[in-house]
C-alpha cells in the first residue's frame, strides 16, 4: 500500500484497513443584528475511527464519529460486488449515505466547501442523510443508477414502526472525454412516515457548523402524512475547472396545513490553480479524492483550489417558513492526498418567521478547517 | 494469519488484533391485540470496534459497542494464563461476561438464535450480564470451573458502594467422543446489593430486540435485600445435531414483599444440514464459532442450520409478575467463518399484570439479521 | 517495532499505530464521619481506543475514552515538527493537554500516583485540562517553552462565543548530568470567559476517582469576569530517586464577590527500588514511560517503586471555600514497559463550607489499579 495501511491475509482472502478522520474548525460570524449570532469559536466537526475491508467477495465498513462528545454511527454496512446483466453492481446492507443529490450522496470530507450545499440540506428526508436498509447501485460506462429502501436510523427506539424511505438516483455523462465531462443527474425519494413522527422540521445552518444560532427556519409542519422530494443536477469538469448546479423541491403532505413545498438551489464552480484534475467521480456522480501532483509533505506546493458557491433556501410556502441565501468563497490547500486546509468566507441573509431571530438579517461568517482523512 | 489480522512484533512478544462486529436487523411483529406491539423496523443491534492481544504472557481485550447511538463498553479486561495444580487456569481482571448459563456466558454472535434464551434473561444478576472485577477459570480434560467476584458495571456512579456479585459455574462432559459429547452444567450466584438499589425489575424482550413494547413484565420488587440465582444445563452434540436444555430459579429477598422467585426454562435443538460440527465448546461450555466446510465467499454453499427453541418465563410468584412463552424456529446461513445471515420466527404469548400491555396477548415476530464478526 | 505495532507504507511515508489503554480500579474509603463517603467499589477509570501516525512530516493523533459509559475525545490533533531559529519546534492544531504544571501537562497513565496532584486540579482553567486550538513547543538543550491559544473543549455547543485560554509554560535544567538533573519550571494562563460562563466551580476529588462524595469544595463563584493562574515547579532526579514540588495560585475576578484566590501545594518523592531511572522527561518537563530492566513477562521481577505525596488544597479566600489535605503513599509494580499495578493509600482531611459534607472530616482511602497502555 502506498497510503493508509491495508492488511491482507497470506491468501488475500481477508483484508482490513483502519479508518481515521480529524476535522478541526475555527469559525466566526459578524454583522448580524443579533448579538447571539455574532459568535466565534473552535469545534471538532468530525473525529472518526473505523474499519473497512473484505472477506472474500463480502465487504464490510464501520465508521463512528465522536464529534460533540457523543458517539454517532455513520457508515456501517456489509457489501457485495457482482454483475447484473453484465453490469458491475454493488449491494449494500446496513447504514450509509443515501444516493441523493451531488453533495448529499458523498463524503463531506471530499467536497469542495466546509459545509454541504442548500440542496443537500433542504432536500434531506425525515430520516436524514443516512438510512439503515438495503441499497443497490449499478454502473454503466457513462452512467450509474442507485436505489434503496431504508428504515429509521441506527439510533431509533423500537417503540413504533420505522418510517420507510424509497429512494432512487441516477446520472449520465452525455460527454465524457479526456479533457472533461458533462454530468446530468436526477433523484427522487418517497417516504412513508411512522406513527412517532409528529412534526417535520428543518433548520439548516447557513454559516459554518459551529454556529447553532445561524439557521434558516422552515417552520415545523405538524401531522405530516407523506414526504417526497426530487432534484436535478447539471454540471461538468473541463481540465482543472469544474462547475455544478443543483435544484430540489421537497413536498410534505400534512393533515393540518395541506401540502407544503420547500425548495433550494445551489450553483458552484472551482478552479484547481495548481493544475490538478477535480476529484469528481464519473462513476458515482459524487466528489472523490483530489490527487495532489506535488504534496507539501514531499517538499512541494500542494494543490491550491479556489471555489465559489451560491445557495438559496426557500421555505416560504409554509405559513411560518423563512428564506435565506448564502454566497461562499472557498480557498482549499491540499497538503497531500489525505489532508487539506480550508478557508471559507460566507456572506448570508436570513428572513425567518419563527424562533429567536425573526425578520431580515445579514452578516458574514469566516471558517477555517484543518482535516486529515484516511 | 488466515482470517482476521493478528500483528506480532519481531520477537513475538507483543501482539495486536483489531476487532470488529456488525449486526444488522430487520424485525416485525403481528397478531398482537395491542397496535403498539405490531411494529416493524430496522435496527443495528451491535456495531463494535475493539482490540485484543498479548504482551508476553499478559493479555488484553477492549470492545466498545455503538448500537443505539451510545458507546457501551463490553469486554474490557487484562488476562493471565497459567497453570494451577497442573491445570490450565486463566485469570481475568476487568469487565467481561460472567460465567452463568450456556447462553448467558457466551457471545450472542456465536449463539444459534438472534436473541439469548429465557434462562439467560431471567437468571441475570442485578448487575447484568457483565461485571467489573476478578475472574478465574480452570480447565480439566472434560470439565471447567469458573468463578468471579465483581462489582457494579463500568458505567456506575461512585456515589454509593457497589453491589457485589459472587458467581460460580462449572460443567462436565461425562461422555466425550469423536461423534459427540454430553454436557452437564450448573451455576450459582449470590449478590449483596448496594444502598443505591431501590428496586429490582426485569422485563425481557420476548420477540426480537427491536421491539421495545414486546416484553414479559416481572413487576418491580422494592427494597430488595438479597439476590441469588442458580441454574442447570444439560445437553449434547451428536455428529451435526445438537440439543440443550436449561433451567433457572432466581430468588430475591425484599423488605416489602418477602421472598420472590422467578423461573425460566429453555430447550433448544438444531441440525447443521450441510454437515458441519456444531460450534459448541467442550472446553468452556459455551457456543464458539462454526467452521464452515464450503464458504460462499470461496464459491461454496456455506453452512445451513435449522434450529428450534422453546422458552418459558414465569414471574407469577410476585404480586405483579406476569408470564410468557416463546417458540422460535431459526434458519442460519453461515456465509463463511466470520459472517452469517439469520432468520427467526417467534410465536409468543405474554400475560402481564403491570404496564401498558396487561392481560393475555399472543402474536408472531419475524426477524432477519446480517452479521459479520472478527 | 519492538512494542506496540507501528505500520509503515513501503516508502515509509505513511505510518499508523493503533492506541489502546485500560485502567481498572478498585477503591474504598473508611473513617469518614459521613456514611456516604465510606464507600467502596470498582471503576474503569480509562478505557481508550485511538490511532496515531504520520503522513510525511504531518502527524495525527486521535484518542477516545469510553470510561463511565460515554465517549469522550481526548487527544485529537494534527502536528508538524520543524525548527525555529535552529531549535526543534512542534506545532499542534487540535485538542490536547495544555502545557500547565508537571502533573497537569502529562498523561496520567505515566505519572507515579493514581490521581493527579492538588496543583493540577486547583490550577486548572475553566476550560479544563484540554483545549481545542493551536499549540507550539520549542526545545533547547536543557529547556523547553510551550504556548497555546485554545477555545472551548470539543463538546462545546455553538450557542455562544468560546472562552479563550492563553497559556504558557517553560522549564530549565540548570544541572543536567549522567547521575540526574534539577528541574525548575513555571507557567501562567489568562482566560477570557464566554457569555455562557455563569459561575466557576471546582470540587476536586481528594481520594481516588471512584468516590464522587469525597471532594474539597471551592464554593461556586458567580459572574466571573476574568480567570488567571500561575505556578512554580522545582525538583529533580538523582539516580533512581526523584522528588518534585509544585505550587499554584489561581485568581478569579467576579462582579459579585470581587477577586478570589485559590491555592494548592504538592510535594512528592519516590524511589525505584529495582534500580530503574525515573521516567521524567528533561525534554518536556513531564512524566514519560519507565523502562523496566527486567520485565515480569520476560521472567523477571519487574520494576518496583515506592512514592509519597503531600497535597494541600486551599479555597478559603472565597466566602464558601473549604480546604483539605491528602497524604499519599504509593506502591507501583511495573510489569513491563506497557503495564503496571498500583496501590495507593491516602490519608485525607476536608473542611467544606458548602454541600452535603460540611465541617471537618478525615479518613483513609485505599486504591488499587491495573493498567495497560500502548
Amino acid at each position: 500500500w502506498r497510503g493508509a495501511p491495508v492488511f491482507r491475509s497470506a491468501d488475500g482472502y481477508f483484508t482490513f484497513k483502519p479508518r481515521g478522520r480529524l476535522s478541526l474548525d475555527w469559525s466566526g460570524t459578524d454583522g448580524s443584528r443579533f448579538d447571539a449570532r455574532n459568535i466565534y469559536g473552535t469545534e471538532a466537526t468530525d473525529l472518526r475511527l473505523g474499519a473497512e475491508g473484505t472477506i472474500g467477495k463480502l465487504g464490510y465498513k464501520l465508521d463512528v464519529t465522536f464529534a460533540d462528545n457523543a458517539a454517532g454511527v455513520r457508515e456501517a454496512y456489509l457489501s457485495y460486488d457482482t454483475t447484473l446483466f453484465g453490469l458491475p453492481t454493488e449491494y449494500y446492507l446496513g447504514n450509509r449515505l443515501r444516493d441523493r443529490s451531488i453533495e448529499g450522496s458523498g463524503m463531506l470530507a471530499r467536497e469542495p466547501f466546509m459545509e454541504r450545499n442548500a440542496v443537500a440540506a433542504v432536500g434531506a428526508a425525515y430520516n436524514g442523510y443516512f438510512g439503515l436498509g438495503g441499497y443497490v447501485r449499478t454502473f454503466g460506462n457513462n452512467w450509474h443508477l442507485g436505489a434503496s429502501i431504508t428504515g429509521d436510523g441506527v439510533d431509533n427506539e423500537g417503540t413504533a414502526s420505522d418510517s420507510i424511505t424509497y429512494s432512487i438516483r441516477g446520472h449520465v455523462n452525455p460527454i465524457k472525454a479526456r479533457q472533461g465531462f458533462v454530468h446530468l443527474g436526477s433523484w427522487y425519494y418517497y417516504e412513508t412516515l411512522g406513527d412517532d413522527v409528529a412534526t417535520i422540521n428543518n433548520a439548516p445552518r447557513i454559516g459554518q457548523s459551529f454556529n447553532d444560532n445561524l439557521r434558516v427556519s422552515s417552520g415545523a409542519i405538524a401531522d405530516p402524512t407523506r414526504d417526497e422530494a426530487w432534484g436535478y443536477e447539471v454540471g461538468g469538469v473541463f481540465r482543472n475547472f469544474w462547475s455544478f448546479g443543483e435544484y430540489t423541491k421537497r413536498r410534505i403532505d400534512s393533515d393540518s396545513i395541506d401540502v407544503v413545498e420547500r425548495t433550494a438551489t445551489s450553483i458552484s464552480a472551482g478552479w484547481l490553480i495548481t493544475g490538478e484534475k477535480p476529484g469528481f467521480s464519473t462513476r458515482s456522480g459524487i466528489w472523490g479524492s483530489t490527487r495532489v501532483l506535488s504534496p507539501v509533505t514531499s517538499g512541494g506546493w500542494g494543490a491550491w483550489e479556489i471555489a465559489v458557491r451560491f445557495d438559496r433556501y426557500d421555505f416560504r410556502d409554509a405559513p411560518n417558513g423563512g428564506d435565506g441565501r448564502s454566497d461562499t468563497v472557498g480557498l482549499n490547500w491540499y497538503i497531500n492526498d489525505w489532508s487539506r486546509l480550508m478557508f471559507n468566507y460566507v456572506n448570508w441573509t436570513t428572513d425567518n418567521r419563527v424562533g429567536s431571530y425573526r425578520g431580515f438579517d445579514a452578516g458574514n461568517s469566516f471558517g477555517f478547517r484543518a482535516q486529515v482523512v484516511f
Side-chain angles (χ1 to χ4, degrees), chain A:
Chain A
W1 44 284
R2 61 179 278 279
V6 180
F7 306 106
R8 283 187 174 73
S9 57
D11 56 5
Y13 184 71
F14 200 111
T15 71
F16 171 82
K17 180 186 172 298
R19 293 172 55 82
R21 193 180 302 183
L22 293 103
S23 175
L24 302 160
D25 288 14
W26 179 88
S27 167
T29 296
D30 68 25
S32 167
R33 62 189 182 84
F34 301 103
D35 282 351
R37 283 183 157 185
N38 294 322
I39 61 177
Y40 52 87
T42 57
E43 188 182 40
T45 35
D46 200 355
L47 300 171
R48 289 198 198 189
L49 293 172
E52 73 176 310
T54 53
I55 308 175
K57 293 179 78 175
L58 183 73
Y60 63 85
K61 188 170 178 182
L62 175 54
D63 254 23
V64 184
T65 185
F66 301 99
D68 285 331
N69 214 19
V73 171
R74 293 293 179 268
E75 248 79 30
Y77 59 74
L78 308 181
S79 63
Y80 189 76
D81 293 2
T82 183
T83 55
L84 189 70
F85 306 121
L87 295 167
T89 300
E90 300 169 359
Y91 294 93
Y92 299 89
L93 204 60
N95 201 51
R96 55 167 297 157
L97 282 164
R98 256 182 232 107
D99 219 347
R100 180 186 60 77
S101 89
I102 292 173
E103 297 202 5
S105 305
M107 258 167 68
L108 176 58
R110 299 297 185 208
E111 296 176 356
F113 297 92
M114 285 175 63
E115 310 300 334
R116 295 184 201 270
N117 66 15
V119 167
V122 172
Y126 177 79
N127 266 340
Y129 288 70
F130 286 81
L132 184 54
Y135 294 78
V136 58
R137 295 207 290 180
T138 298
F139 302 91
N141 200 33
N142 63 342
W143 58 271
H144 103 280
L145 194 64
S148 65
I149 302 179
T150 52
D152 289 351
V154 290
D155 57 338
N156 184 52
E157 294 186 359
T159 52
S161 287
D162 282 6
S163 302
I164 312 278
T165 312
Y166 304 86
S167 178
I168 190 166
R169 176 180 177 242
H171 93 272
V172 63
N173 299 119
I175 300 173
K176 187 176 165 188
R178 287 187 56 164
Q179 300 268 23
F181 59 87
V182 170
H183 169 99
L184 300 175
S186 185
W187 53 272
Y188 172 76
Y189 69 78
Y190 172 85
E191 201 167 38
T192 64
L193 300 169
D195 291 344
D196 50 354
V197 181
T199 64
I200 293 187
N201 205 343
N202 188 17
R205 289 178 178 87
I206 202 168
Q208 282 91 37
S209 121
F210 165 77
N211 197 327
D212 285 345
N213 300 330
L214 189 52
R215 296 166 180 270
V216 186
S217 292
S218 64
I221 295 168
D223 312 314
T225 55
R226 183 188 150 120
D227 181 26
E228 64 184 329
W230 50 90
Y232 308 104
E233 315 160 8
V234 56
V237 162
F238 179 69
R239 293 185 175 169
N240 51 335
F241 294 88
W242 57 267
S243 181
F244 291 93
E246 296 195 77
Y247 172 80
T248 187
K249 181 179 285 188
R250 184 177 177 192
R251 184 187 153 98
I252 302 165
D253 284 22
S254 143
D255 281 343
S256 53
I257 54 163
D258 204 35
V259 174
V260 167
E261 288 182 349
R262 297 172 174 176
T263 65
T265 311
S266 301
I267 296 167
S268 59
W271 173 35
L272 281 141
I273 304 166
T274 39
E276 277 79 7
K277 226 178 104 181
F280 196 91
S281 159
T282 51
R283 186 170 193 262
S284 310
I286 59 173
W287 284 98
S289 62
T290 302
R291 294 286 157 194
V292 179
L293 297 177
S294 172
V296 176
T297 42
S298 301
W301 285 102
W304 289 83
E305 179 181 32
I306 189 158
V308 293
R309 192 171 71 193
F310 306 96
D311 289 296
R312 298 292 175 271
Y313 302 77
D314 191 346
F315 300 135
R316 288 174 297 180
D317 188 46
N320 290 319
D323 72 315
R325 50 155 275 278
S326 63
D327 301 337
T328 306
V329 178
L331 182 67
N332 299 323
W333 183 24
Y334 298 85
I335 308 294
N336 52 39
D337 292 358
W338 302 276
S339 46
R340 64 178 178 182
L341 300 179
M342 307 178 78
F343 172 76
N344 274 197
Y345 162 76
V346 182
N347 177 271
W348 52 263
T349 61
T350 65
D351 193 358
N352 290 336
R353 296 191 242 177
V354 290
S356 302
Y357 308 99
R358 295 186 205 193
F360 184 80
D361 188 28
N364 305 292
S365 294
F366 307 86
F368 171 82
R369 173 172 296 167
Q371 172 186 294
V372 165
V373 177
F374 63 87

